[in-house]
Amino acid sequence: GENVEQHPSTLSVQEGDSAVIKCTYSDSASNYFPWYKQELGKRPQLIIDIRSNVGEKKDQRIAVTLNKTAKHFSLHITETQPEDSAVYFCAASFLGHYGGATNKLIFGTGTLLAVQP
Amino acid sequence: DTAVSQTPKYLVTQMGNDKSIKCEQNLGHDTMYWYKQDSKKFLKIMFSYNNKELIINETVPNRFSPKSPDKAHLNLHINSLELGDSAVYFCASSRMTDGEQFFGPGTRLTVL
């Protein structure tokens, strides 16, 4: 069945360092890969996403890379700040009008990122 | 302006009771979802409706019944609540062809 593995489960970095979170997906039909940030007691919120026709996307301090052949995608946060501390979820889905697409997000198990000041 | 709202925010109830959670979105989206987040923070899709039609129905006990009276509303009714139903339930919405799903604030359900 569909599965998304995410590593590490916890990550502690010093303020200003970089953080990398990695995910692997199983369903080769997946074509959309979002990353969500969830602060304690809050709702998940999209921070960046990438579609399968793109290998890399960047938005200020965050970037996502996708390797379709290996079915890997990663989140990179540079110059981390204490406010980056949260749980980060990767996800994969099959997006589109046709072919049974449902936009069903399969989430990874989450990474608790702690940025130490 | 609240984009996706849920009521109630907290729900504490006894085993065996029946309860409902309501969700509304004012984003003009055509697709709505219910997710369950357990105590380990795992987020799992339960149901999805597109234009009031059920399109995702994961392996969820039939004690859970979603209802979508119109595109802007999706409710979740749970019969005969069990201890294992304790979790945070998130509603979300999106356009079917847009990836981004907007989540509601969540409903923390505690079954005693």
Side-chain angles (χ1 to χ4, degrees):
Chain A
E2 309 128 329
N3 187 46
V4 175
E5 293 187 3
Q6 182 171 349
H7 300 282
S9 55
T10 59
L11 180 58
S12 181
V13 300
Q14 290 296 122
E15 184 177 357
D17 287 351
S18 295
V20 180
I21 303 170
K22 298 185 179 186
C23 289
T24 304
Y25 61 98
S26 62
D27 187 354
S28 56
S30 298
N31 60 3
Y32 175 67
F33 307 92
W35 286 87
Y36 282 81
K37 176 183 180 182
Q38 186 178 25
E39 296 176 355
L40 188 62
K42 300 284 180 67
R43 72 190 80 191
Q45 291 193 288
L46 182 77
I47 55 170
I48 195 167
D49 56 12
I50 191 167
R51 301 202 179 209
S52 58
N53 58 350
V54 175
E56 185 172 357
K57 184 175 177 181
K58 192 172 180 181
D59 183 3
Q60 298 181 12
R61 295 187 298 108
I62 58 174
V64 58
T65 59
L66 171 65
N67 181 331
K68 279 191 299 183
T69 304
K71 295 184 191 168
H72 288 168
F73 58 114
S74 301
L75 177 72
H76 304 253
I77 307 174
T78 58
E79 299 170 32
T80 52
Q81 300 166 4
E83 50 265 39
D84 293 329
S85 297
V87 177
Y88 290 81
F89 292 95
C90 63
S93 77
F94 177 31
L95 197 62
H97 273 299
Y98 308 108
T102 60
N103 198 7
K104 180 169 82 170
L105 281 179
I106 304 299
F107 280 91
T109 47
T111 296
L112 176 60
L113 174 64
V115 180
Q116 310 297 334
Chain B
D1 285 348
T2 305
V4 184
S5 59
Q6 291 178 233
T7 54
K9 191 167 173 61
Y10 300 97
L11 193 47
V12 181
T13 188
Q14 299 287 331
M15 268 197 316
N17 283 351
D18 303 339
K19 290 293 177 187
S20 291
I21 307 172
K22 296 184 182 232
C23 179
E24 177 179 0
Q25 55 94 4
N26 62 5
L27 297 168
H29 290 161
D30 57 3
T31 307
M32 296 184 73
Y33 313 81
W34 278 114
Y35 288 89
K36 179 180 180 181
Q37 186 169 45
D38 63 20
S39 57
K40 293 182 180 176
K41 303 293 186 190
F42 295 154
L43 260 173
K44 195 166 182 343
I45 182 76
M46 300 173 69
F47 302 103
S48 175
Y49 274 79
N50 174 247
N51 289 319
K52 300 195 297 175
E53 179 187 348
L54 183 65
I55 58 169
I56 297 174
N57 186 356
E58 293 295 284
T59 49
V60 175
N62 58 15
R63 298 181 294 103
F64 290 77
S65 51
K67 276 197 175 58
S68 182
D70 56 57
K71 285 196 297 185
H73 295 86
L74 179 62
N75 304 323
L76 182 66
H77 188 74
I78 315 170
N79 288 327
S80 304
L81 279 156
E82 300 177 358
L83 293 176
D85 298 332
S86 295
V88 179
Y89 293 83
F90 285 101
C91 174
S93 73
S94 75
R95 284 197 191 88
M96 183 54 142
T97 54
D98 286 351
E100 181 171 6
Q101 294 186 17
F102 292 79
F103 283 77
T107 296
R108 182 174 293 276
L109 171 65
T110 303
V111 182
L112 303 174

